[in-house]
Amino acid sequence: MQIKVGSVPLPVYLALSAVIVATALLEQLPVNMLGGFAVILTLGWLLGTIGATIPFLKNFGGPAILSLLVPSILVFFNLVNQNVLDSADILMKQANFLYFYIACLVCGSILGMNRKILVQGLMRMIIPMMLGMICAMGVGTLVGVLLGLEWQHTLFFIVTPVLAGGIGEGILPLSLGYSAITGLGSEQLVAQLIPATIIGNFFAIMCTALLSRWGEKRPDLSGGGQLVKMSNTDDMADALKDDSGEFDIKKMGAGVLTACTLFIAGGLLQHLTGFPGPVLMIVLAAFLKYLNVVPVETQHGSKQLYKFISGNFTFPLMAGLGLLYIPLKDVVGTLSIQYFLVVISVVFTVIATGFVVARFMNMYPIEAAIISACQSGMGGTGDVAILSTADRMNLMPFAQVATRLGGAITVIAMTAILRMIF
């Protein structure tokens, strides 16, 4: 009973998973949210626990990598039946559990964060984000040309998708834009663009694990999860202390409603302004936090919800994404040494830029580099995997700014440039 898989003791997990596995083999899983949660919790908790216990792998993003990669491999070799995929699909795609997860994390992180740190951090991330994006495009394209690749193909089909902000918010609109310009089918373009995003995401996870370990050896470079350097130790202690109190179910209920409302408000503002809704949700939450108009009790509820969701659903979420969103066959079909080196150069440049610029922005280099790594991740999926690898989920608001805003700028700018030169 001492060993736990996810949130339950091992004997309990074995009993529960036996029922779910048997039902799945008989293809009798309910194709609804109940079946979906059963699938992702069973897979995610197991893979996350295994990844956290393997000696070498656990220090290099093992739980995140296994949770994403193993389900994708199972699907690739047709070891998962359609009933399991349908149950996961109803939760992950049709109910869009990913957005609920991100809304809870973003709102809980922002409303539960020290106000001064939040504002300074959001403002400071804009500069390394833009510099990193520009430098990565230049370096990645140059590396591709030096390796014998055509510069247009390298820039638009390898470098750009790494920085596009994920599949749903980046690759899909990018493929539609490319399709309108080139006349190629968007489905064909998606298959060409996705591998760079996936490879970049995994390399970003590995780099983040190394950064996290480096931060342990060089505490002068790391804020231990804090992005902005404070002027004195009192402010630091004040900012880092957890004052949300004991878990209160009713407070968490208020946190759910708050997260849903802010997400819906972001979507409404997107309809009115055309700007990405997830970014506007972040701006709105930060604005409310800055004005301090949200009752303290509701702020505590949002923070408690954030703890509950991140503590129980991080690796199950990634398992669901691995089942449905990571087409391993597309990655295998486009792999080459040149392709791999270009993607690595893009990720490394983004991270290095964040690390260097942090010294001039009063930020901790390790934290700034980790957030910069999220620019080369798979949108919300990448943010979760990267930050969980470094055990810095509290940086989600900054990561979402780097990913969503940076991805939106990348998609708009590169589509416009392709239209000019095509």
Side-chain angles (χ1 to χ4, degrees), residues 268-276 280:
L268 177 61
L269 291 173
Q270 177 179 350
H271 176 72
L272 298 174
T273 65
F275 206 68
L280 294 172

Side-chain angles (χ1 to χ4, degrees), residues 125 204 207-229 350-359 362-374 386-387 389-392 395:
M125 277 314 299
C207 288
T208 300
L210 292 172
L211 284 168
S212 182
R213 297 286 290 174
W214 190 18
E216 294 173 4
K217 296 180 179 180
R218 290 286 305 275
D220 57 306
L221 298 176
S222 173
Q226 179 178 327
L227 176 63
V228 181
K229 294 181 179 180
V350 168
I351 293 174
T353 302
F355 187 90
V356 172
V357 172
R359 295 178 175 272
N362 199 37
M363 296 188 296
Y364 287 101
I366 295 295
E367 274 69 23
I370 289 172
I371 294 172
S372 296
C374 293
I386 290 167
L387 295 183
T389 298
D391 193 23
R392 284 170 170 82
L395 296 177

Side-chain angles (χ1 to χ4, degrees), residues 216-257:
E216 294 173 4
K217 296 180 179 180
R218 290 286 305 275
D220 57 306
L221 298 176
S222 173
Q226 179 178 327
L227 176 63
V228 181
K229 294 181 179 180
M230 302 300 292
S231 57
N232 58 65
T233 54
D234 289 334
D235 285 343
M236 174 82 74
D238 221 26
L240 295 178
K241 72 177 182 180
D242 185 359
D243 58 355
S244 60
E246 296 182 1
F247 277 88
D248 187 311
I249 295 175
K250 290 188 176 181
K251 286 183 180 179
M252 290 173 63
V256 173
L257 181 59

Side-chain angles (χ1 to χ4, degrees), residues 341-363:
L341 290 175
V342 170
V343 174
I344 288 177
S345 69
V346 172
V347 177
F348 181 79
T349 302
V350 168
I351 293 174
T353 302
F355 187 90
V356 172
V357 172
R359 295 178 175 272
F360 303 97
M361 301 291 296
N362 199 37
M363 296 188 296

Side-chain angles (χ1 to χ4, degrees), residues 82-103:
Q82 193 60 44
N83 179 227
V84 172
L85 294 177
D86 289 343
S87 297
D89 181 89
I90 203 80
L91 173 69
M92 299 298 299
K93 288 188 176 180
Q94 297 188 44
N96 215 331
F97 179 62
L98 173 63
Y99 276 3
F100 174 75
Y101 177 95
I102 290 176

Side-chain angles (χ1 to χ4, degrees), residues 157-224:
F157 289 90
I158 304 178
V159 176
T160 298
V162 176
L163 303 170
I167 295 176
E169 293 77 13
I171 297 302
L172 296 182
L174 190 66
S175 67
L176 293 175
Y178 282 7
S179 177
I181 297 169
T182 63
L184 298 173
S186 59
E187 297 84 3
Q188 178 184 350
L189 290 167
V190 167
Q192 294 182 48
L193 296 171
I194 281 182
T197 305
I198 298 172
I199 296 170
N201 188 75
F202 281 114
F203 188 70
I205 292 172
M206 297 298 291
C207 288
T208 300
L210 292 172
L211 284 168
S212 182
R213 297 286 290 174
W214 190 18
E216 294 173 4
K217 296 180 179 180
R218 290 286 305 275
D220 57 306
L221 298 176
S222 173

Side-chain angles (χ1 to χ4, degrees), residues 313-337:
F313 293 99
T314 295
F315 300 125
L317 175 78
M318 284 190 276
L321 294 167
L323 283 173
L324 301 171
Y325 286 89
I326 301 182
L328 201 62
K329 60 181 180 181
D330 292 337
V331 178
V332 173
T334 58
L335 283 180
S336 68
I337 297 297

